[in-house]
């Protein structure tokens, strides 16, 4: 049931991994939520999971953001929208190299359609899902929001860079205000055990590969290189709990609605701590009580050696800070993986 006292937010891609956690955060804080998702990488069953955590469902439109008339119809119907959080995108780096036009069409036409509808309907607040991929291999660590944006190594990464530019330019010539959140490596699952990542097909990311190896779907975890110049030779990333990422969106929306800040702002969303692949494996072993079979392999093409965030700006200006530990990331991912297996 709608809560008349609170704002209403449109969440695109709201049935996906990060989107669904954000929908839950918003509903739990009594905001009203409208979701658009074309289900290309998610399932409508996520709505029931959300309802079982929050006691209510968001309003749901199963449309594609590239379908402008369908999007216009949603804006015509939903007259109370105050802000939009735009998660919807395709995100598989390797697939984007094989099918660049699919990625440019899906990720950029959807963004332009969305911003057109927002401006036409005076919905002037936008939170955008960006990525630390825009920093490439950084010259100086930790990376701040002022670190240079490096040439993208994949069409996917380029859609994030170009997306940021499209939004920046539009905020300079319209009433639109926007915050781009550059996530580092979101991992883990909801503390209820009812939501998590549902990678279709073989996952590419480290944590789903760890948990799927632990349940025997893969015989061992391939570790891509142990000859990097890091303490144990494996790559370093800033892993961040998906629930901490979700909270950052609530705070970003509240900042936009308060009218504080510049028309366009960018914040790093990480913990500020880098962990190596082997440290993540150890944390998983501690959380699960299992020994994970591993095999050291060649470096993976395009991998960054190390990257982690300077979070001062998001801590001080946005007023957000990650609170969950690597152990909590691993134990929640493990609970989620086991719940999936128990359903099979
Ligand atoms: P996800 O695939 O789980 O969720 C994206 C959702 O958007 C899916 O439910 C999909 O069905 C939907 N969608 C895609 N294209 C659509 C379209 N044209 N119209 C309507 N719905 C559409 O991905 P996620 O991990 O939750 O990522 C959310 C956002 O965060 C993406 O923009 C992604 O690029 C960005 N991001 C993710 C990570 C990560 O590691 N997960 C890191 C940095 C940035
Ligand atoms: N990684 C690995 N084996 C895998 C998958 C990933 O060793 O099967 C490493 C990868 O080389 C990188 C880190 O884990 O150093 C995180 O990879 P992921 O794909 O999750 O994120 P990204 O590379 O996009 O930061």
């Amino acid at each position: 049931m709608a809560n008349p006292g609170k704002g209403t937010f449109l969440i695109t891609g709201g049935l996906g991994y990060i989107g669904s956690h954000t929908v839950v955060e918003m509903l739990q804080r009594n905001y009203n939520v409208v979701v658009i998702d074309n289900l290309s990488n998610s399932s409508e069953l996520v709505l029931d999971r959300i309802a079982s955590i929050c006691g209510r469902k968001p309003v749901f439109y199963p449309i594609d953001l590239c379908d402008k008339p369908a999007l216009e119809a949603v804006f015509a119907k939903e007259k109370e929208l105050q802000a939009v959080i735009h998660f919807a995108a395709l995100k598989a780096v390797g697939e984007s190299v094989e099918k660049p036009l699919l990625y440019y069409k899906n990720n950029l036409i959807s963004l332009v359609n969305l911003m057109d509808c927002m401006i036409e309907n005076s919905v002037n607040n936008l939170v955008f899902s960006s990525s630390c991929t825009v920093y490439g291999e950084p010259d100086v660590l930790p990376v701040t929001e002022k670190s240079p944006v490096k040439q993208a190594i994949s069409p996917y990464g380029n859609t994030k860079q170009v997306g940021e530019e499209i939004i920046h330019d539009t905020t300079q010539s319209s009433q639109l205000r926007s915050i781009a959140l550059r996530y580092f490596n979101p991992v883990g699952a909801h503390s209820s055990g009812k939501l998590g990542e549902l990678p279709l097909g073989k996952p590419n990311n480290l944590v789903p590969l760890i948990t799927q190896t632990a349940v025997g779907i893969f015989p061992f975890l391939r570790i891509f290189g142990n000859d990097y110049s890091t303490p144990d030779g494996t790559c370093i990333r800033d892993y961040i709990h998906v629930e901490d990422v979700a909270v950052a969106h609530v705070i970003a929306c509240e900042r936009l609605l308060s009218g504080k800040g510049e028309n366009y702002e960018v914040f790093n969303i990480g913990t500020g701590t880098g962990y190596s692949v082997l440290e993540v494996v150890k944390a998983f072993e501690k959380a699960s009580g299992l020994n994970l079979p591993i095999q050291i392999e060649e470096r993976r093409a395009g991998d960054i050696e190390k990257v982690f965030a300077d979070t001062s700006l998001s801590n001080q200006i946005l007023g957000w800070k990650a609170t969950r530990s690597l152990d909590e990331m691993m134990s929640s991912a493990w609970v989620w993986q086991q719940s999936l297996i128990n359903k099979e």
Side-chain angles (χ1 to χ4, degrees), residues 12-19 36-42 63-66 86-91 106 110 129-132 156 160 183-186 197 205:
T12 76
L15 299 193
Y17 174 46
I18 307 173
I36 288 178
D37 200 304
N38 68 355
L39 305 174
S40 59
N41 197 33
S42 53
I63 66 154
D64 193 312
L65 291 166
C66 296
H86 181 46
F87 290 106
L90 294 173
K91 62 166 184 176
N106 190 73
S110 58
S129 294
S130 190
S131 167
C132 70
Y156 164 72
K160 293 296 164 194
Y183 319 147
F184 281 64
N185 287 56
E197 194 167 6
N205 294 114

Side-chain angles (χ1 to χ4, degrees), residues 1-3 26-33 47 50-58:
M1 229 200 322
N3 183 337
M26 287 289 186
L27 292 175
Q28 286 179 331
R29 289 164 201 239
N30 270 333
Y31 288 111
N32 301 311
V33 177
L47 284 172
I50 292 171
S52 80
I53 299 168
C54 304
R56 63 186 175 121
K57 283 184 188 177

Side-chain angles (χ1 to χ4, degrees), residues 185 204-206 209 221-224 235 237 239 277 300 303:
N185 287 56
N204 295 306
N205 294 114
L206 179 64
L209 282 162
L221 176 77
R222 302 160 66 199
I223 300 219
F224 297 134
C235 291
R237 296 284 184 277
Y239 297 93
V277 177
R300 184 171 70 175
D303 262 344

Side-chain angles (χ1 to χ4, degrees), residues 22 25-26 29 31 85 246-255:
T22 305
E25 277 301 325
M26 287 289 186
R29 289 164 201 239
Y31 288 111
I85 307 177
V247 171
H249 292 80
V250 181
I251 295 177
C253 280
E254 289 172 346
R255 179 173 173 81

